[in-house]
Amino acid sequence: MATMQRTMSQVMDREEGDGMEEGENCPMPTQDITLNLKNRAKAITSAAYGPENPKLPNEAFWRKKADQWDVSMDDAKQSLCGNCAAFNVSDNMKQCIAQGIGMEADPWGTIKLADLGYCEIFDFKCAASRTCDAWVVGGPNTGEQEGEDMEEGEDYEEGEEK
């Protein structure tokens, strides 16, 4: 939960125009594979991140998700990292991921093949075809919303103090 609160604070504290220039402000897990693996392991153990190989049927995995969310297995299979609000696939984030992969491999080919993005809840590079218990409707985060201004007071209920 602390990771989620920290991440949400970082997102809320960003000033308009703030962004990640090449290599600047990249999340450490995009640059440090050991940290990325540690954070992914935490997502596996604390939020049932998976399935391990999304190309397999994984019936037990999806049945458990469906039971937990009180939906059909078909509906559970629609709630993926790729359409989670915490799944960041902005151009800046993909640049960070590519930089972290480095030129020893084909970074852009890897990103495309694995459909990689960045999980802002658990702080790790994430595959779009997986899911976890922390899935949030409304994604992915493409970075396009960042420039939109909210009307003053839009996030407050009428009569609520700011």
Side-chain angles (χ1 to χ4, degrees):
M1 187 61 133
T3 301
M4 183 180 203
Q5 289 171 341
R6 177 181 47 77
T7 302
M8 293 309 289
S9 294
Q10 288 171 342
V11 169
M12 300 309 273
D13 288 343
R14 273 195 195 141
E15 295 293 323
E16 185 176 333
D18 280 358
M20 292 176 279
E21 303 203 5
E22 190 170 339
E24 185 179 315
N25 297 325
C26 288
M28 282 305 300
T30 63
Q31 307 304 299
D32 179 342
I33 189 68
T34 303
L35 179 58
N36 186 74
L37 292 171
K38 177 183 174 188
N39 292 352
R40 185 179 70 177
K42 181 178 179 181
I44 292 169
T45 59
S46 67
Y49 174 68
E52 184 177 359
N53 183 348
K55 292 183 179 180
L56 298 177
N58 299 298
E59 190 167 325
F61 177 87
W62 290 112
R63 184 173 314 285
K64 188 173 182 180
K65 284 284 184 262
D67 290 347
Q68 177 181 356
W69 293 336
D70 195 25
V71 297
S72 70
M73 277 182 43
D74 286 339
D75 285 346
K77 290 179 181 181
Q78 302 304 308
S79 302
L80 301 173
C81 295
N83 61 16
C84 176
F87 189 63
N88 187 331
V89 292
S90 67
D91 291 341
N92 290 332
M93 187 59 72
K94 285 187 176 184
Q95 184 63 44
C96 286
I97 293 169
Q99 179 182 321
I101 292 171
M103 290 302 142
E104 297 80 35
D106 172 11
W108 294 103
T110 301
I111 290 167
K112 184 177 180 179
L113 185 62
D115 204 1
L116 288 177
Y118 188 77
C119 175
E120 294 182 326
I121 294 175
F122 292 104
D123 298 319
F124 73 103
K125 294 177 288 191
C126 179
S129 57
R130 293 183 172 177
T131 193
C132 81
D133 294 345
W135 182 84
V136 181
V137 69
N141 171 1
T142 61
E144 293 175 16
Q145 310 87 290
E146 290 176 14
E148 295 178 7
D149 291 335
M150 287 178 59
E151 295 294 322
E152 188 170 332
E154 186 177 312
D155 58 341
Y156 293 94
E157 294 292 322
E158 193 171 313
E160 203 176 60
E161 273 189 44
K162 291 185 182 179

